[in-house]
Amino acid sequence: MQIVKATLEDAETILALQKVAYQSEAALYNDYTILPLHEKIEHTQEAFSNHLVLKALDDEGKILGSVRGKIEKGVTKIGKLMVHPSAQNKGVGRALMEAIEKELPSQTYALFTGSKSEKNLFLYQTLGYTIVSYSTLPGEATVFAFLEKHSKL
């Protein structure tokens, strides 16, 4: 597996992966209206202008996963971590998280995930993140867990 910077040409493939990867989240909450399942290609493409987007590739160059992040007011905000269902539980998500943190170093990292998403919460907590609050987001019924990680630069 290789982690590299994604390009705008990867946007459609990453969006298709997102719609597959987030099915399990929708099922967990019995809510198929979640925003990642209805994101438009324009929104995905726009992310490339203001985020660093990474992709995990298999030996044949197929995208197994992706994550995006940006530094905002000194905080690295990480989002849209996704791994194809066939590649889950094989270290892809962990590798993507470690890579985005390395590429966007800061003293504080912030992200959120569904509060019932036990596998996601377990991964983030093993990477040093702690839950700092629970809340909803505009347009979402899901209660999210907001997590942070503090490091010494």
Side-chain angles (χ1 to χ4, degrees), residues 7-39:
T7 64
L8 188 57
E9 290 73 38
D10 296 315
E12 285 188 38
T13 304
I14 288 172
L15 181 58
L17 169 63
Q18 177 177 306
K19 292 184 180 197
V20 170
Y22 276 84
Q23 289 293 324
S24 60
E25 288 293 295
L28 182 62
Y29 295 93
N30 194 28
D31 182 0
Y32 291 85
T33 66
I34 62 173
L35 295 177
L37 295 183
H38 300 282
E39 185 171 304

Side-chain angles (χ1 to χ4, degrees), residues 112-127:
F112 63 89
T113 190
S115 61
K116 296 181 190 175
S117 303
E118 292 179 15
K119 285 183 178 182
N120 297 353
L121 289 167
F122 179 79
L123 170 65
Y124 298 139
Q125 289 171 328
T126 61
L127 291 169

Side-chain angles (χ1 to χ4, degrees), residues 3-6 14 18 22 43-44 46-55 65-82 96-106 108-112 124 129:
I3 309 285
V4 297
K5 184 177 178 184
I14 288 172
Q18 177 177 306
Y22 276 84
H43 187 265
T44 305
E46 183 183 311
F48 284 85
S49 66
N50 54 20
H51 289 78
L52 171 63
V53 182
L54 300 179
K55 60 184 177 180
S66 180
V67 67
R68 61 182 78 157
K70 66 179 178 177
I71 298 176
E72 198 172 87
K73 297 180 183 171
V75 175
T76 296
K77 296 190 174 186
I78 299 171
K80 293 285 182 10
L81 175 66
M82 64 191 86
L96 283 163
M97 286 296 295
E98 290 171 351
I100 199 82
E101 288 177 6
K102 184 178 176 189
E103 292 293 325
L104 297 173
S106 70
T108 304
Y109 298 90
L111 55 82
F112 63 89
Y124 298 139
Y129 288 79

